[in-house]
Amino acid sequence: MSTLLTVHDPRGYPPKVTGKRLAPRLPTLEGKLIHLVDCLFDNSEVFMQQLQAWFAEHMPAVRTEIVKPRESWVDDPVMRAKIVKEADAAVFAVGL
Amino acid sequence: MAVEADGVPAVAVHTHVFARLARNAARVNGTPTLRQAFVPQPVVGVSPQQLRAYVDGTDPVSKRPFIQEVIEGLTGPLTEEDLTGVSFERNTPRLLEPATEAELHERFERERWTDFMPIVLPTEERVAAMLAGTSRKPDEIVGRLRPTNYREFWEFTVEKVAVNAVMAGARPEYLPVILALAASGMTARQSSTTSWAAPTIVNGPIRRQIGLNSGIGAMGPYSHANVTIGRAHALLSQNLQGGSVVGDTYMGSIGNAYNYACVWAENEERSPWEPLHVQHGYKAEDSTATVFLGGWYTISGYGPRETWEQRFRHCLAACEPYSPPIVLLDPSVARGFVERGFGKKQQLIDWLAANAQVTAREYWDDPWTQTLIKPHAVAGVEPWAGVLAAAPDAMVRKYRAEDISVVVMGGETQSAWKMVGGNFSRAKTVKIDDWR
């Protein structure tokens, strides 16, 4: 019978995951303002312009505004505050 | 998606190749039901018409209309799970269940804890012997790592670093270097689609004390210390940060051979100039490691010969604009530059910065200048604002002098040099002596 070995686990220590609730959903998008958040990845602004055009053509009662963070991959509290203050909903694109 | 916590319903749009990663990132953020919609890869380089087709088309993950996913994501009813999120703990034990040697090797490979080359099993005896290489306590927290900045940090102790050092085949006397690399916070297993590595330059007395090779074959597998320290940095990065698994915690499209090991020592004894760490304010007797996010490209050449200026300009133009070069010079090349009037390393760095030029059109025609540098340019930050304002065909400087490094290494069997991607301004220099 082969000898049994005891070895260390090579992994680090992950943080505890704390559940967070989603925001209440809107009953309708009619008359609402959606912030289209351009995550600044190459060409994502063009994607957002196309999404904005779709809403203008198919759901003209929905208002959209493209907003951008101050830089990529970094939390932007100013932009976040603007979204919370002004927008009814947000779409983030195109992220990894 | 912090706005959800502030009461704003949101949908995150990703390309379909990131579906698994995006779902896992949402899960470990406590919001596994985060509303996500997917479009086909790629978005980069795709025409407005094609992007409109993505909006009009089908989500390649859910197979439902993309726009329906977006609208329902903002308006659809919430479930009980949506209202609470999911909390859970993930524990990693100190020791694994006893098993045979063969079973353990199979498990380490199956769990993606190796680099697919044989490892040394981290038995209690081997780890204890490794820990003799530092005065630090085994349970002391060394730092935190994560594969990319939208993932959560994992934490680790001196003992956990020693475990990975054993696996890499390192010796106890290397442990202070390995601890310093771990403490740098610079992962050698970055998840970026660009396939980064972590080229590292070691300076100071530690090089000679532990036998790091800075002579013939300095970048290759010709020293036990270089190879196993580099491999330890790679293994500890993947294991202590929560993995480096394709499709989940690793997305480098083409991969990078430097991910196996790339710890290099400057040949200070044969260099005509001051070493890298002294350039940046450390004492010559300090032992340091400078860890770069880099290794995306390597360009090689000989010289300096009669046409060196043209050759260097061509090579600098070819370097990736977001990733300035670490210029690695054989000592004979460094002396050749001294003979041409570059008495100080900084003079050569200044020449490199002044002569690394492309047209503004070419500079901005790049995913990372667009994504990461352009926002600063738009905000008016120089020198990038000036580059953005330049006419498309105007020649612009690609790099600032402070982003470029020059390091002397090699064994003088050839007047060889290399340019390896790595921005000094984003590098981290750590003192190895703190971890002895």
Side-chain angles (χ1 to χ4, degrees):
Chain A
M1 183 177 170
S2 300
T3 306
L4 297 183
L5 299 176
T6 299
V7 303
H8 284 263
D9 185 313
R11 293 172 294 172
Y13 301 109
K16 180 184 176 187
V17 175
T18 304
K20 304 176 188 72
R21 63 157 292 161
L22 297 187
R25 275 22 215 176
L26 300 171
T28 176
L29 295 181
E30 295 287 307
K32 304 297 185 186
L33 173 63
I34 303 177
H35 272 173
L36 305 178
V37 185
D38 169 9
C39 295
L40 302 181
F41 275 105
D42 192 8
N43 222 28
S44 63
E45 182 178 17
V46 182
F47 176 83
M48 281 309 204
Q49 290 165 350
Q50 297 306 313
L51 187 57
Q52 189 170 41
W54 188 95
F55 277 106
E57 292 167 24
H58 296 277
M59 299 180 73
V62 177
R63 294 174 294 134
T64 59
E65 180 187 345
I66 295 175
V67 298
K68 298 169 185 273
R70 62 185 160 81
E71 58 183 299
S72 305
W73 303 348
V74 176
D75 181 36
D76 184 345
V78 174
M79 183 197 71
R80 207 151 29 87
K82 174 182 166 70
I83 295 170
V84 172
K85 182 180 177 188
E86 300 175 9
D88 298 296
V91 177
F92 290 74
V94 176
L96 299 184
Chain B
M1 297 289 275
V3 296
E4 287 273 359
D6 291 325
V8 179
V11 171
V13 179
H14 307 271
T15 60
H16 77 287
V17 297
F18 293 94
R20 182 175 155 205
L21 181 154
R23 295 256 159 86
N24 280 341
R27 187 177 70 87
V28 298
N29 190 44
T31 52
T33 59
L34 187 73
R35 301 302 191 258
Q36 296 171 329
F38 296 90
V39 293
Q41 174 86 350
V43 166
V44 176
V46 170
S47 70
Q49 293 75 21
Q50 288 171 288
L51 292 174
R52 178 53 190 262
Y54 289 179
V55 174
D56 290 330
T58 302
D59 179 324
V61 175
S62 70
K63 312 298 183 194
R64 303 169 71 222
F66 167 78
I67 203 71
Q68 188 178 346
E69 293 289 342
V70 172
I71 293 170
E72 290 184 6
L74 300 175
T75 60
L78 296 181
T79 66
E80 193 167 327
E81 196 176 22
D82 291 328
L83 296 172
T84 57
V86 173
S87 300
F88 58 94
E89 297 225 34
R90 295 168 290 173
N91 294 318
T92 50
R94 182 167 178 266
L95 300 172
L96 300 174
E97 287 294 312
T100 67
E101 184 175 357
E103 288 168 343
L104 287 167
H105 278 295
E106 189 278 330
R107 178 173 181 190
F108 272 63
E109 187 172 307
R110 173 168 39 85
E111 301 266 16
R112 299 291 188 268
W113 294 339
T114 78
D115 52 12
F116 294 101
M117 292 198 287
I119 52 129
V120 177
L121 289 172
T123 61
E124 291 177 278
E125 296 76 14
R126 287 169 180 156
V127 172
M130 180 62 68
L131 286 166
T134 182
S135 60
R136 298 297 190 107
K137 293 179 179 162
D139 61 354
E140 184 180 337
I141 298 294
V142 176
R144 304 186 306 164
L145 285 171
R146 57 182 178 178
T148 187
N149 60 357
Y150 50 83
R151 295 300 292 244
E152 77 282 15
F153 278 111
W154 286 39
E155 200 171 66
F156 48 88
T157 59
V158 169
E159 184 176 79
K160 287 289 188 182
V161 173
V163 168
N164 283 275
V166 168
M167 290 168 60
R171 295 173 181 152
E173 57 266 36
Y174 309 161
L175 187 59
V177 185
I178 297 166
L179 284 165
L181 296 177
S184 74
M186 299 285 286
T187 176
R189 286 282 191 273
Q190 235 272 356
S191 172
S192 167
T193 54
T194 296
S195 313
W196 297 111
T200 297
I201 305 297
V202 179
N203 284 105
I206 191 84
R207 296 166 305 119
R208 293 285 170 261
Q209 292 163 1
I210 63 173
L212 281 164
N213 175 32
S214 61
I216 294 174
M219 294 176 73
Y222 298 101
S223 153
H224 189 270
N226 294 61
V227 172
T228 59
I229 292 171
R231 189 185 187 205
H233 188 205
L235 290 177
L236 74 86
S237 293
Q238 68 179 48
N239 292 328
L240 302 181
Q241 73 182 6
S244 184
V245 176
V246 167
D248 184 359
T249 42
Y250 184 78
M251 296 301 290
S253 189
I254 208 164
N256 196 324
Y258 286 139
N259 284 142
Y260 277 110
C262 52
V263 166
W264 308 319
E266 183 157 15
N267 194 340
E268 299 175 19
E269 291 73 13
R270 297 294 298 164
S271 172
W273 298 316
E274 60 186 2
L276 181 69
H277 69 318
V278 175
Q279 279 181 274
H280 295 285
Y282 292 90
K283 296 174 187 164
E285 60 267 30
D286 289 335
S287 291
T288 66
T290 300
V291 189
F292 293 83
L293 173 70
W296 169 230
Y297 62 80
T298 303
I299 302 173
S300 305
Y302 309 104
R305 300 169 66 97
E306 183 186 348
T307 60
W308 77 268
E309 291 174 301
Q310 294 95 314
R311 194 170 295 247
F312 266 59
R313 286 192 188 105
H314 291 318
C315 292
L316 289 163
C319 292
E320 212 283 322
Y322 179 69
S323 189
I326 313 164
V327 181
L328 306 169
L329 306 176
D330 186 85
S332 59
V333 177
R335 286 198 298 277
F337 277 114
V338 171
E339 290 165 10
R340 283 164 173 76
F342 295 94
K344 292 182 181 299
K345 210 189 246 187
Q346 189 59 45
Q347 291 175 285
L348 179 57
I349 291 172
D350 291 340
W351 186 94
L352 294 165
N355 287 274
Q357 296 193 14
V358 290
T359 64
R361 184 196 314 278
E362 190 177 347
Y363 180 83
W364 291 114
D365 187 23
D366 178 90
W368 301 122
T369 56
Q370 283 289 323
T371 299
L372 297 170
I373 294 180
K374 193 174 178 183
H376 296 286
V378 170
V381 179
E382 296 292 356
W384 303 292
V387 178
L388 190 61
D393 291 321
M395 297 299 285
V396 298
R397 289 190 181 192
K398 298 171 72 176
Y399 311 125
R400 304 173 303 177
E402 58 263 41
D403 300 330
I404 298 172
S405 307
V406 170
V407 176
V408 176
M409 63 171 64
E412 302 173 64
T413 58
Q414 173 60 278
S415 293
W417 54 263
K418 289 178 185 286
M419 295 183 187
V420 177
N423 187 338
F424 186 82
S425 299
R426 287 191 294 272
K428 185 86 181 285
T429 299
V430 280
K431 279 185 76 171
I432 294 165
D433 303 314
D434 293 344
W435 295 96
R436 289 185 189 264

